[in-house]
Amino acid sequence: MTLSSPVSLASNALADTFFDWGLIARTFPRLISEGLLNTLTIAAGAIVLGVVIALAATMLLLSNRWWVRLPARIYVDVFRGLPVIITVMLVGVGLPAAGLRPFGTDPFGYAILAIGIISGAYTAEIFRSGVQSVDPGQLQAARSLGLSYLKAMRLVVVPQGIRRVLPAMAGQFIKDIKESSLVYLLGLAVGQRELYFIAQEEVARTYNSSPLIAAGICYLSLTIPMTYLVNYLDKRLREGPRPGNTPTPVDPDLPDTPLQTAGATGREAR
Amino acid sequence: MNPATAGPNPVAPLPKGAPKAAPWTPDAPAALQVKGLSKSYGSNTVVCEVTLDVRRGETLCVIGPSGSGKSTLLKCLNLLETPDCGEIWLGETCLTAPRADVDAARSRIGMVFQHFNLFPHMSVERNVTLGLTSVKGMGREQAREIARRRLDQVGLAALADQRPGRLSGGQQQRVAIARALAMEPEVMLFDEATSALDPELVKDVLAVMRDLASGGMTMAVVTHEMGFAREAADRVAFMCDSRLAEIGTPDRIFESAEHPRLRQFLSQIL
């Protein structure tokens, strides 16, 4: 194969267009100083808002009464079913156009609200499946102590349900970080621009797509550590504190190996 | 000796026929009364017109074949299952009255489940203190002190900081007993507390139950442990086909049963 073969030309074009390392290096300072913080702010705000909405929606979705479940079910179905870009436009452009301007003309607030609403719909279904997977005996045991339904759910059932779905939630959080890029549609002001917006600006200025790779590396620097952090948390929560002071299992009534994550239902777990 | 590896400390099995601290008398006032209680699931009647009482300081064992309604009856007593009709009285409080404070009543009735139902996301100690802090409004320190005392009573004080998943089934069941006892209940309900345990672990749990019985605790015990029923019960009730078929002293039930189904049942398991 010669250097001028079609494959070689395509390879060179790809490298020139996306992997101009000099341009990538020049883009990083602005991405890190402005974009990373804004992306983190939008994603963190959306995640917190999404979790709050999801907790409320989950409680409604778990109700025995259909008319209590109905509004939550409509919310979940609509915002899981709509393309993200449409929801971002509906919230970021539609709300102000309808005269609802809780954040004035600041697109940053609408961006967080839009991603948070979408995140809440997905997270509610994750929570619901987690809570419903908890052994019904847990609720019975909590109620038998005299806890009200809400207290039993809050202190016993929901925490267990959420811990069971931590890996799925990590996936959702990663999705929120990535979807924060779509808020560039709302025309963020100077100083509010997130990773993708800045990369797009650099692409338009240099006629080269390499800044997108720089932005991609920044996204990965957020999402990959988050995956491992959540997996670590998941492992710790399943196993409990490190067994530094676990008594030596010399008694046949003590387990040989510390395991058995939860529930302790069924026969002996040793 | 490591206390964690010891059996239940102050609750060593009592010699057969050991005198009770607070002997039960047939004319003791009723701690728990059931009048005409029925429970159905659709067209399937599980408990049919059961009337009985558990007198103060009494150990009442409920025996019978699987599916006879024993566990459902027990769960009706603290309204974990809602009876279709009938009355349940805890002392002077009618639990089935329309405006009865069911949560408050449940905190006066301890319950131990077949599958322990410990809260796996909490330490052993927190399992015991949860009801004290969240139902009785007790301070954390006072609750911890009570928890340590109750755990010591069942021989597990050294495991207070462990997660339930690190304990064997026998230990988990003893923690469940400590959790119920911490609430200082007027009545304890045991729902086949040893059925999910390997045979060699049953003895420690039965030792704790015997100790409670001899200490004058009012107990309703659904069990397949005929040795325990014969030795520790003041009265034994036999259920079959969803009805209370016969009730009497252990001697009468085991030596001169009248009901043909009871004779058949005993001949099969003794």
Side-chain angles (χ1 to χ4, degrees), chain B residues 199-229:
Chain B
E200 74 267 26
L201 303 179
V202 168
K203 65 181 191 315
D204 286 344
V205 173
L206 288 181
V208 173
M209 291 168 65
R210 275 196 196 92
D211 189 60
L212 287 174
S214 64
M217 171 63 76
T218 307
M219 295 167 37
V221 183
V222 168
T223 186
H224 290 295
E225 295 286 338
M226 293 305 134
F228 175 82

Side-chain angles (χ1 to χ4, degrees), chain A residues 203-251:
Chain A
V203 168
R205 194 175 62 80
T206 60
Y207 299 105
N208 188 294
S209 298
S210 296
L212 292 176
I213 297 299
I217 292 169
C218 289
Y219 280 113
L220 289 176
S221 73
L222 294 177
T223 55
I224 291 176
M226 170 175 273
T227 307
Y228 284 92
L229 175 69
V230 173
N231 286 347
Y232 171 75
L233 279 177
D234 181 46
K235 190 165 176 281
R236 283 298 303 273
L237 288 171
R238 281 179 194 278
E239 294 178 355
R242 288 180 189 282
N245 55 352
T246 309
T248 313
V250 294
D251 186 294

